[in-house]
Amino acid sequence: MRAYLLTGYGAVSDTVRLAEIADPRAAAGEVVIDIHAAGLNPIDFKLVHGALKRISKYKLPRPIGFDASGVVTSVGPGASKFKPGDAVYVRASRDTIGTFAEQIGIDEKLVAPRPATLSHPEAASLPLVGLTTLQGFGRAGVRAGQRILIHAGSGGVGTFAVQYAKHLKLHVTSTTSSRNADFVKSLGADRVIAYDRENYLEQGGGYDIVYDTLGGAFTVDAFKVVKRGGVVISLSGPPDRDFARREGAGLLVRIAVWLMGRKVYAASAKAGAAYCWFFTESNGDQLRDIAALVECGAIKPVIDREFAFDKLPEALAYLEAGRARGKVVLKVR
Ligand SMILES: NC(=O)c1ccc[n+]([C@@H]2O[C@H](COP(=O)([O-])OP(=O)(O)OC[C@H]3O[C@@H](n4cnc5c(N)ncnc54)[C@H](OP(=O)(O)O)[C@@H]3O)[C@@H](O)[C@H]2O)c1
């Protein structure tokens, strides 16, 4: 089969190449999936640039890519959830990435039936952003009626999060540029703050939850608008202090994590609000929950652009430019 391999860390043009490699075989508990479409996420180019090399000791060259939709072609010993011909979607775990390929062999526990109403590209656009939002909102313990600020409501994560928050009956404020303000409103946001026209820090605070998809100064500033007793859930800020323990990291990494979080923890203590950061976990059961949300009409996938399989470098560059409205997808078949 053909698969994109990561051969080193650096620029995509220097390190990612399309190669012919052996077809995967379904090992115990695994299924092999013929991939029809693969979803892109910022973690893909960050991984190429080396962002995960300290915590995931990848043996290179290796396939990359987290999200996919496709059809099961074979089933390994002991795997019982799927049969050949089943349409499925999946978010690979950090150890099993490899969806920018024609096939993948993967633990059936990470796989779920493809939402019946979706095409393969639509289904491939959802796993990572959907799991991230279910898990982030779960950590925040969100409840109906709470007020949430979702940064970058027009992005891959944001387009899912705005819809999911409305489904849970939260009051949603979201930031984006004026170019995307009407679009984010159309996803259900109660209020949109266009960052090129207004400073969200001057538009009132008191949020129960801030969903920080942007990182940098946005993480520290989240504590200026979250209410006492509230929570800042960050996807892009510094790892929280429990992260090193969860990852089983050594002393040096623990110290580095502690130092990286100093400003955020000072802001959190001053505001009397919690800080939580996490890495998305792959989970087939939660993908079934997401399929149910799609099938009942609560979530609609938003695809900005589809790229042909041989255009992965262009697709990654497009996503990395940071202006995607919804998701970027690779058409594999
Ligand atoms: N920790 C984890 O496990 C985890 C999981 C998922 C994602 N993440 C991280 O979360 C981040 C967001 O991911 P994503 O997939 O949503 O990225 P994305 O799709 O690339 O985000 C692009 C969107 O961000 C908007 N944006 C850019 N600057 C903005 C600003 N200053 N204010 C408001 N909106 C702004 C853009 O809108 P305009 O064009 O209108 O500016 C665009 O629509 C990434 O860094 C990703 O790595 C982490």
Side-chain angles (χ1 to χ4, degrees), residues 40-46 91 128-129 132-133 135 150-159 174-181 183 193 195 200 211-215 218 234-236 277-281 304 318-328:
L40 274 69
N41 296 282
I43 188 66
D44 298 313
F45 59 75
K46 292 181 184 179
R91 188 260 189 186
L128 191 145
V129 296
T132 300
T133 302
Q135 292 165 18
I150 297 173
H151 277 306
S154 51
V157 173
T159 46
S174 186
T175 58
T176 185
S177 66
S178 47
R179 181 179 72 97
N180 285 322
F183 163 66
I193 302 175
Y195 65 77
Y200 77 99
Y211 195 49
D212 166 36
T213 59
L214 292 169
F218 288 92
S234 182
L235 306 178
S236 304
W277 182 95
F278 69 102
F279 253 139
T280 307
E281 299 286 337
D304 177 337
Y318 180 76
L319 184 64
E320 191 166 3
R323 297 278 82 81
R325 178 193 279 196
K327 297 285 303 178
V328 177

Side-chain angles (χ1 to χ4, degrees), residues 310-333:
D310 63 348
K311 297 285 186 239
L312 178 67
E314 289 84 345
L316 287 168
Y318 180 76
L319 184 64
E320 191 166 3
R323 297 278 82 81
R325 178 193 279 196
K327 297 285 303 178
V328 177
V329 175
L330 198 61
K331 281 197 80 166
V332 179
R333 287 191 161 76

